[in-house]
Each structure stands twice: as structure tokens, then as C-alpha cells.
């Protein structure tokens, strides 16, 4: 992000913190990871702490409140919990915590991921590159726009630096970080089957096993049904294959959105009225396709509190990361102006 863009974002955030507002929290995995470049994993203990804060503040509301004006207050006192992708740990690790505090949540599920027996490509890349295990110093990568060659030049201390690095905001300072980001940018725009082939290639290059960690897989059909039937859970759609919509022509965007929506409706046996844009990427074509399906609420990954003038089909969300309850409270209040009026024990 350029300095100009950062300043513009800061000004928009400052303005929003003075408006009637609410917060939509974004989660992915409830699990512990040492190397987590996108910070998509929150440990079960931290998640429990965070949900305890929402319960004590009486702040948790269903995402449906953000379809109208009900969620917006002067103190940012209402927050909705959402999960992207449909990991099995949403059922195994997150749901018991949500039940304990009686907090509703929306889970956006990738249509073709239900019953998927291998990890998502971004998890495979995370397992292959940033980890501290040794890697060869040269990678030939024949996927995407022509064959490319990447080299590694490792230094003492890189492993610890990589464990702290955030791919979305951190400066690239090691060769593994540069490799991870270059591969991620190359793979995200590939066709779904080619994405898996590319990850198999990278895993084999690094001498990593192709066996998927059981904690980092998608829901199977039975687990999906358990969540679908649970009174605290509402399912939404997340396209058919978790594609980068803005890198597709208009017709393929519409197909991915409508087919994914139809798949989740068929699996759940009920209407689906919520949607999340994969990678937070959307444009006018994607937004129009979502509206055509009669979606009430669609979420982006723009890190802002939501305000009443926002388009319900392009609502911002703030990504919760590994934080204890006190850190979580300060983050909500200081960074986003949320739950400012609540007294916490």
C-alpha cells in the first residue's frame, strides 16, 4: 500500500469511527499455527477469549442485522461473527465456543469444497514454503504465464522472521517471504485443477508429504449437515471454487457465483441469502451477480467498520487474529471504534 493510499484509508476509517457503525468479524480457521502468513488462524483459547468479550458486552448479533439499519449505533455496540471457506474446525473447535456463549455465526462455504479430501491450495503453499524445514535453493515453476525459476538465499535467523511475517502488511525481508508471495500471486489466478497441480509440484520440490493435515480440511457432507441444522449457524455461499473473481471475465464471474450459490442451497435444502467474495475481491460485475440472486448480505474483506450508508452487497469486515481478550477489546475499540460504550468485567 502506498503512503497516499494509507493516508486515504486512515481518513476513511477516522470518518467511519464517528458515524453510526457496527462490526463484522472475519474468521477462517480455529487452530494453532506457527507459520501463518495471512494470519487466518486463531487458536481455540484465543477464540474463546474473543467470544467471551462479545458475550460480556452483549454485542453479538446475527449478520442479518446488517441488511438494514438495526446493526448501526453511535458506540459500535453490535458485531456479527463470520467464517470463510468452511473448514472442519468451524464445527469441531468453533461451534462449542459459540454454543457456550450463545453467539450466532455465519459460515460462507465453497460449493465444490464440501467433501474435499485434500487441503486448500493456500494451505498447501503455507505448509510448503514459510515453514522452517529445509528447502532446495532452486524451484522451476512451469505453471501460469510461462516457466519461471525462483531461487532461495537463506540466512541465519530467517526462520524466526518468517514466523512473524504478515503477507498482507509486512515488508518482504527474506527469500522465503519473496518466494511465498510470488507463488501465491501466480497460483491465485490459475484454474482450480491447475492450482492443485501447482501445489503438488511445490510440495514435491520441497520434499513435503502430500498427506493433508486432518485439521486443515473442509467439511464433509455429514459435517456440513450438522452445521446447516444448528440454530446458531447460518450458511452462506462463497462461489463454486473460491476463484479470484476480478481476474475472470463477466460470464465466468456470474457462473462461479450462481453455481456456488445453487450448490449450497442444494446441500442445505434451504434458501441461501448470504455471500462472501473470495479473497475479498469484487467489482461491479460480481456485485450485480450477487444482487440478481436475491442475496441480502454480501461481505468483502475491506478492513473497516460498517456504516449505514454501505451497500449491503459489499459490506466491510475486520479480520480477527490471534489475540487474548484484553488485546481483542483494545483492538476493537482503538482501531475501529467498536464496543466503545460497553462496560466489561
Amino acid at each position: 500500500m502506498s503512503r497516499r493510499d494509507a493516508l486515504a484509508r486512515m481518513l476513511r476509517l477516522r470518518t467511519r469511527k464517528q458515524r453510526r457503525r457496527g462490526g463484522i468479524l472475519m474468521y477462517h480457521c480455529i487452530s494453532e499455527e506457527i507459520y501463518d502468513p495471512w494470519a487466518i488462524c486463531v487458536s481455540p483459547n484465543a477464540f474463546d477469549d474473543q467470544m467471551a468479550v462479545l458475550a460480556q458486552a452483549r454485542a453479538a448479533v446475527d449478520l442479518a442485522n446488517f441488511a438494514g439499519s438495526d446493526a448501526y449505533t453511535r458506540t459500535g455496540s453490535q458485531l456479527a461473527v463470520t467464517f470463510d471457506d468452511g473448514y472442519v474446525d468451524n464445527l469441531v473447535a468453533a461451534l462449542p465456543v459459540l454454543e457456550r456463549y450463545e453467539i450466532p455465526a455465519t459460515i460462507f462455504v465453497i460449493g465444490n469444497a464440501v467433501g474435499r479430501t485434500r487441503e486448500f491450495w493456500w494451505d498447501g503453499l503455507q505448509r510448503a514454503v514459510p515453514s522452517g524445514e529445509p528447502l532446495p535453493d532452486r524451484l522451476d515453476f512451469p505453471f501460469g504465464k510461462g516457466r519461471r525459476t525462483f531461487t532461495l538465499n537463506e540466512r541465519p535467523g530467517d526462520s524466526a522472521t518468517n514466523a512473524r511475517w504478515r503477507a498482507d502488511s509486512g515488508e518482504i525481508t527474506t527469500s522465503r517471504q519473496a518466494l511465498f508471495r510470488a507463488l501465491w500471486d501466480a497460483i491465485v489466478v490459475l484454474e482450480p485443477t491447475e492450482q492443485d497441480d501447482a501445489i503438488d509440484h511445490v510440495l514435491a520440490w520441497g520434499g513435503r508429504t502430500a498427506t493433508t493435515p486432518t485439521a486443515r480440511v473442509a467439511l464433509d457432507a455429514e459435517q456440513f449437515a450438522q452445521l446447516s441444522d444448528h440454530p446458531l449457524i447460518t450458511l452462506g455461499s462463497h462461489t463454486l471454487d473460491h476463484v479470484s473473481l476480478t481476474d475472470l471475465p463477466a460470464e465466468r464471474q456470474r457462473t462461479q457465483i450462481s453455481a456456488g450459490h445453487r450448490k449450497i442451497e442444494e446441500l442445505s435444502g434451504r434458501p441461501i441469502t448470504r455471500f462472501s467474495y473470495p479473497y475479498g475481491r469484487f467489482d461491479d460485475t460480481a456485485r450485480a451477480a450477487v444482487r440478481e440472486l436475491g442475496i441480502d448480505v454480501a461481505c468483502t474483506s475491506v478492513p473497516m467498520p460498517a456504516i449505514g450508508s454501505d451497500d449491503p452487497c459489499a459490506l466491510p469486515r475486520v479480520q480477527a487474529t490471534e489475540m487474548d481478550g484484553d488485546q481483542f477489546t483494545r483492538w476493537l475499540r482503538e482501531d475501529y471504534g467498536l464496543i466503545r460504550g460497553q462496560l466489561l468485567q
Side-chain angles (χ1 to χ4, degrees), residues 24-99:
I24 304 175
L25 295 172
M26 176 172 63
Y27 293 92
H28 294 81
C29 308
I30 305 304
S31 63
E32 297 189 56
E33 295 288 342
I34 296 174
Y35 298 93
D36 185 16
W38 297 108
I40 65 171
C41 297
V42 174
S43 69
N45 286 340
F47 183 67
D48 191 295
D49 280 358
Q50 293 171 17
M51 294 304 100
V53 169
L54 297 189
Q56 291 169 17
R58 298 182 179 177
V61 298
D62 186 71
L63 183 62
N65 287 36
F66 286 83
S69 60
D70 293 346
Y72 305 108
T73 70
R74 288 293 180 190
T75 58
S77 60
Q78 298 195 31
L79 292 95
V81 174
T82 69
F83 293 82
D84 278 4
D85 305 330
Y87 284 92
V88 68
D89 61 47
N90 295 179
L91 172 69
V92 176
L95 184 58
V97 177
L98 297 171
E99 289 175 329

Side-chain angles (χ1 to χ4, degrees), residues 48-259:
D48 191 295
D49 280 358
Q50 293 171 17
M51 294 304 100
V53 169
L54 297 189
Q56 291 169 17
R58 298 182 179 177
V61 298
D62 186 71
L63 183 62
N65 287 36
F66 286 83
S69 60
D70 293 346
Y72 305 108
T73 70
R74 288 293 180 190
T75 58
S77 60
Q78 298 195 31
L79 292 95
V81 174
T82 69
F83 293 82
D84 278 4
D85 305 330
Y87 284 92
V88 68
D89 61 47
N90 295 179
L91 172 69
V92 176
L95 184 58
V97 177
L98 297 171
E99 289 175 329
R100 182 177 308 124
Y101 298 109
E102 298 182 341
I103 291 176
T106 298
I107 300 177
F108 299 106
V109 182
I110 305 163
N112 276 344
V114 179
R116 178 180 169 95
T117 57
R118 61 175 293 160
E119 66 197 329
F120 295 120
W121 73 261
W122 53 87
D123 290 329
L125 185 62
Q126 173 187 317
R127 190 160 59 88
V129 177
S131 71
E133 298 297 319
L135 287 173
D137 59 9
R138 176 188 172 98
L139 168 64
D140 291 321
F141 189 76
F143 301 90
K145 298 179 180 180
R147 179 179 293 271
R148 280 168 287 178
T149 299
F150 300 98
T151 58
L152 283 177
N153 181 22
E154 306 251 49
R155 300 166 300 185
D158 278 0
S159 182
T161 301
N162 293 337
R164 296 189 300 267
W165 179 64
R166 284 284 301 270
D168 56 346
S169 59
E171 180 184 357
I172 293 175
T173 59
T174 74
S175 60
R176 283 205 198 203
Q177 293 168 10
L179 175 62
F180 175 85
R181 193 58 209 251
L183 290 175
W184 198 96
D185 289 342
I187 295 171
V188 70
V189 296
L190 298 178
E191 293 294 323
T193 54
E194 195 175 16
Q195 288 174 334
D196 288 339
D197 291 341
I199 291 303
D200 287 343
H201 178 80
V202 176
L203 287 168
W205 162 75
R208 307 289 191 262
T209 174
T211 303
T212 299
T214 56
R216 297 298 296 275
V217 293
L219 299 157
D220 63 24
E222 181 179 349
Q223 293 160 340
F224 176 96
Q226 286 180 259
L227 286 175
S228 179
D229 292 338
H230 198 283
L232 287 174
I233 302 299
T234 303
L235 298 180
S237 57
H238 199 36
T239 72
L240 188 64
D241 294 301
H242 202 279
V243 293
S244 176
L245 290 168
T246 53
D247 288 294
L248 296 179
E251 189 57 38
R252 287 202 59 204
Q253 288 194 44
R254 288 190 288 269
T255 298
Q256 274 287 329
I257 291 168
S258 61

